[in-house]
Amino acid sequence: MAILIIGGSGFLGTELVRQAAVAGHTTVATYANRPGSSRDAEWHSLDLRDPESIEAVVAEVSPRVVINASSGRADCSVTAEGPVRLAVAAAKSGSRLIHVSSDAVFSGASVHYDESCPPDPVTPYGAAKAAAETGILLMHPDVVVARTSLIIGDGQSVHERAAHELAAGARAGVLFTDDIRCPVHVADLASPLLELASGDASGIHHLGGNEALSRHELGILIARRDGLDASQLPTGLRAESALPGALDIRLDSRATQRTLRTTLRGSRQFLTPAA
């Protein structure tokens, strides 16, 4: 199967490229600034703000499936409009589309969110991701929207680097004790995305870890795994800060989990060292 991975040089994209190659898929990946280091993929430069560039790459590759793992943060031209341009190009080429979205599309007012819950974002980034979801669901008849949460790896994620720097006193800031999410391991996320790409699923799916915990609790698990002094991690309350954003968002991924071979583990499972 030919797969085109948008944002293949990013954190999630790198793992998708690795797993796709291991599975024997013909893998093409795109980058915004510089190609990834993997030799398992053919690399193309791509600007999601440029419809002609998108159509040219999709037409040249002619993939069976496009997986959009790009991250444009709160830049609407990339995060909101780019996926819609990609959906149009994928539909035109007859390619399926798997679009990675975020729990940031929710406000936290309801705390528990399954796939039926409508977006109600409270940040510019969440609004951009919600707009992308709406657009691609309208423009592509065979699309999967896969919402996920904080993505953790084996020391390489932004959340792990932040915990290291905070524990060492190398950066200012705190880890919130009232900011609750359902973190997922990058390998546990990439695998079901490829499962969904290989099947005939469509619509909205949730791919969060099976355990909810605060950013501070997450930091403690990271510190303990990596031999750091967890007591040095500074704490605070998002509710008392000037930072915008939801407090408690718990993705309910049970419906999607029942369709998967991959287990969406909780943080204590993948961050606790084996005895």
Side-chain angles (χ1 to χ4, degrees):
M1 180 172 68
I3 297 179
L4 173 61
I5 298 171
I6 309 299
S9 59
F11 180 51
L12 173 58
T14 296
E15 179 64 17
L16 281 166
V17 168
R18 186 192 72 79
Q19 290 194 21
V22 168
H25 300 304
T26 300
T27 308
V28 180
T30 73
Y31 61 94
N33 298 310
R34 60 186 180 190
S37 59
S38 175
R39 297 182 180 180
D40 293 323
E42 176 186 328
W43 293 94
H44 289 256
S45 174
L46 182 66
D47 185 347
L48 283 175
R49 297 168 296 184
D50 182 356
E52 292 183 0
S53 173
I54 295 171
E55 291 207 5
V57 169
V58 173
E60 179 181 347
V61 176
S62 190
R64 172 70 183 89
V65 181
V66 179
I67 302 179
N68 180 27
S70 65
S71 175
R73 303 187 186 278
D75 184 343
C76 281
S77 63
V78 177
T79 303
E81 299 167 14
V84 179
R85 299 184 188 104
L86 185 62
V88 171
K92 185 181 294 186
S93 74
S95 305
R96 297 186 66 231
L97 176 63
I98 312 295
H99 172 73
V100 181
S101 190
S102 167
D103 58 9
V105 302
F106 298 121
S107 70
S110 296
V111 179
H112 298 277
Y113 292 90
D114 65 18
E115 289 86 346
S116 67
C117 295
D120 60 341
V122 293
T123 63
Y125 174 69
K129 295 297 276 189
E133 288 187 7
T134 299
I136 63 176
L137 287 166
L138 287 171
M139 299 304 298
H140 199 301
D142 188 17
V143 64
V144 168
V145 170
R147 296 180 182 137
T148 191
S149 190
L150 308 182
I151 307 175
I152 309 300
D154 296 315
Q156 302 304 311
S157 71
V158 295
H159 311 291
E160 290 160 287
R161 293 199 299 270
H164 277 237
E165 292 169 3
L166 286 167
R171 68 181 286 178
V174 299
L175 292 176
F176 295 126
T177 58
D178 60 344
D179 187 326
I180 313 296
R181 298 293 186 273
C182 293
V184 63
H185 194 281
V186 65
D188 293 355
L189 176 57
S191 180
L193 287 172
L194 290 170
E195 282 190 52
L196 292 167
S198 299
D200 58 2
S202 62
I204 296 172
H205 296 261
H206 283 184
L207 297 174
N210 65 21
E211 179 182 22
L213 72 172
S214 72
R215 290 181 187 263
H216 181 248
E217 290 173 316
L218 178 64
I220 289 174
L221 291 175
I222 292 168
R224 288 175 176 169
R225 180 199 64 184
D226 297 339
L228 305 175
D229 185 354
S231 69
Q232 297 301 306
L233 294 171
T235 64
L237 295 172
R238 178 181 280 276
E240 295 179 355
S241 77
L243 293 175
L247 294 181
D248 197 339
I249 300 177
R250 309 186 189 203
L251 286 186
D252 183 345
S253 303
R254 289 176 295 178
T256 297
Q257 177 66 88
R258 287 192 288 269
T259 71
L260 299 173
R261 297 187 302 275
T262 305
T263 298
L264 297 165
R265 296 173 294 169
S267 299
R268 286 185 174 84
Q269 290 177 277
F270 61 75
L271 285 173
T272 301

